[in-house]
Structures are given as C-alpha cells and as structure tokens.
Amino acid sequence: NAGVIQTPRHKVTGKGQEATLWCEPISGHSAVFWYRQTIVQGLEFLTYFRNQAPIDDSGMPKERFSAQMPNQSHSTLKIQSTQPQDSAVYLCASSSRGGGNQDTQYFGPGTRLLVL
Amino acid sequence: GDSVTQKEGLVTLTEGLPVMLNCTYQTIYSNAFLFWYVHYLNESPRLLLKSSTDNKRTEHQGFHATLHKSSSSFHLQKSSAQLSDSALYYCALSDTPFGVGDNSKLIWGLGTSLVVNP
C-alpha cells in the first residue's frame, strides 16, 4: 500500500499564475479531504469528497479555489490567480468511510506551494 | 458551532520531564469523538490516538489521553518526554457522532508544537 500520494511535492509559482495540485487516495478509500497548513492558521479544512461527490466545501475560498474528483483514484485542487497568501502546505487525506466518527484519516506528504 | 481549543501554540520541555498538551472542545452532541494527530517534520500527519468513551484512558506509543465529558477535555500526556517527541500535535473532534448522518468531518485545533530539548 503506497499510502496517499501527492504531486508535486514542491511548487513555486508567480503571483497571478495558476497552480494545480494532485492527490491519489489510498485504494479503496471512499473519502478524500483537502487541508491547508500554515504556521498561523494551523490545519485548515478546505473541502471533502465522499464516493467522488463533493460533500462539504465550506473551507474553500470561494473565488479562486476549486476542487474536483473525476474518478476514485485522484482528486485535484486548483488555485487560480495565485497570491502570496496562498503559500502553504496543502495536505490531502483519505479515509475508508466518512472521515469523521472513528475513521482514521491517512495523510499524504503534502505539496508545499510558494507564491512569489 | 463545534470547536476545538489548544491553548498552547508552543510547549518547550527538557527531555525526561512529563508532557501535557491541552485540548478542550465544544459540541452540541453528547457522543463526541476526539482524536490526537501527530505531525513529525518531513513526515505526514498521522493518528496518535482516539476516544469516544468517557473517563477511559487511551494509550499509544507511550502517550495517553482520557476523554472527560464533564470538562470537555482530552489532554495528551506522556510521563517522560523524549527528543523524538518533538513534533506538531493536533487535537480534533468529530462533528457528527456515529449514527447521526454520514457526512461528518473533523474539527481541528490550531495545533501545539512540542519541542523537547536535551
């Protein structure tokens, strides 16, 4: 079991450019979560899919962030017109069911995004 | 709404001393499920321990925590800190207890950075 895979591990973009982050959940897991991690805000929930359907995107900045899960083996987080304040580590996690209750979330290594 | 509070952003200890990281929570549900996740540098965050049973001690890898619903607390403890315990620790709450809907997610605290010095 390879665990949750995230690519790229590091990404540097210029202000105003687009960034696309990829996540491959653990095979068989039905839930995928995206988080943003910063020193100031800690671990911020962004969005959540279950069985590929979007369940909760309450943490997503509405204007420039979007997430998709076109199939059960990968999800993408897209940030349009990146800004320096988007610089963070973006973490993807998967779990076997809903993710809450008693389900353990398994995290990927993260993508460290730096917007210059 | 539901929330998790980790009042210490940074805890610095000398090796061998006891560890206690605070976690308190607020929820409208009586059946809260609490988690501690640990994030070591250059690794992925991973589950350390979890509990939903009131007043029962849960242990893993030398750490322990007891859920106290009367005080809405789930403090993480260890009797003797090791250098390798230096990491970021997150407390989290399940916002929908088992059996009440199936679209729950975790509510996260801001995290406590533990630094253990020689």
Side-chain angles (χ1 to χ4, degrees):
Chain A
N1 194 329
V4 176
I5 298 171
Q6 288 189 252
T7 55
R9 294 292 305 275
H10 303 272
K11 186 170 182 67
V12 180
T13 66
K15 182 179 174 181
Q17 292 184 327
E18 183 177 288
T20 301
L21 313 180
W22 281 269
C23 171
E24 181 179 331
I26 292 173
S27 178
H29 280 192
S30 61
V32 170
F33 301 81
W34 283 98
Y35 297 95
R36 177 169 61 184
Q37 185 183 44
T38 62
I39 292 174
V40 174
Q41 299 291 337
L43 199 60
E44 291 179 272
F45 167 79
L46 294 176
T47 189
Y48 156 37
F49 295 86
R50 190 163 68 89
N51 295 322
Q52 299 174 233
I55 301 298
D56 185 339
D57 66 354
S58 59
M60 293 277 273
K62 295 304 179 189
E63 292 187 349
R64 300 182 293 105
F65 284 60
S66 62
Q68 294 182 327
M69 191 162 185
N71 56 61
Q72 63 184 9
S73 63
H74 91 275
S75 175
T76 58
L77 178 68
K78 184 180 292 186
I79 308 172
Q80 294 178 310
S81 185
T82 55
Q83 303 297 310
Q85 61 265 31
D86 298 332
S87 298
V89 175
Y90 290 83
L91 289 163
C92 177
S94 71
S95 71
S96 59
R97 195 175 52 184
N101 306 321
Q102 56 190 327
D103 294 335
T104 298
Q105 292 191 19
Y106 295 86
F107 285 82
T111 294
R112 186 175 295 275
L113 176 66
L114 177 62
V115 182
L116 301 175
Chain B
D2 294 349
S3 65
V4 174
T5 301
Q6 293 180 249
K7 65 180 184 180
E8 311 110 342
L10 173 66
V11 171
T12 304
L13 289 173
T14 300
E15 188 178 18
L17 291 180
V19 178
M20 181 162 170
L21 306 184
N22 283 282
C23 174
T24 56
Y25 64 92
Q26 285 188 310
T27 179
I28 62 173
Y29 296 105
S30 60
N31 296 332
F33 216 116
L34 274 293
F35 303 76
W36 276 102
Y37 279 77
V38 59
H39 191 184
Y40 296 102
L41 188 65
N42 297 324
E43 295 185 14
S44 305
R46 64 173 186 259
L47 179 70
L48 182 57
L49 46 79
K50 60 186 181 183
S51 179
S52 64
T53 306
D54 197 14
N55 298 318
K56 181 181 177 182
R57 176 169 161 147
T58 300
E59 299 190 37
H60 187 61
Q61 295 184 329
F63 286 89
H64 62 92
T66 303
L67 178 60
H68 292 297
K69 294 184 179 180
S70 60
S71 58
S72 298
S73 67
F74 191 56
H75 305 319
L76 183 68
Q77 297 179 268
K78 188 177 184 185
S79 58
S80 176
Q82 298 177 289
L83 297 177
S84 58
D85 294 330
S86 295
L88 187 54
Y89 292 81
Y90 288 104
C91 184
L93 162 74
S94 172
D95 73 343
T96 309
F98 185 74
V100 182
D102 201 22
N103 291 331
S104 56
K105 66 180 189 292
L106 296 184
I107 309 299
W108 297 83
L110 290 180
T112 297
S113 183
L114 175 64
V115 176
V116 181
N117 294 314

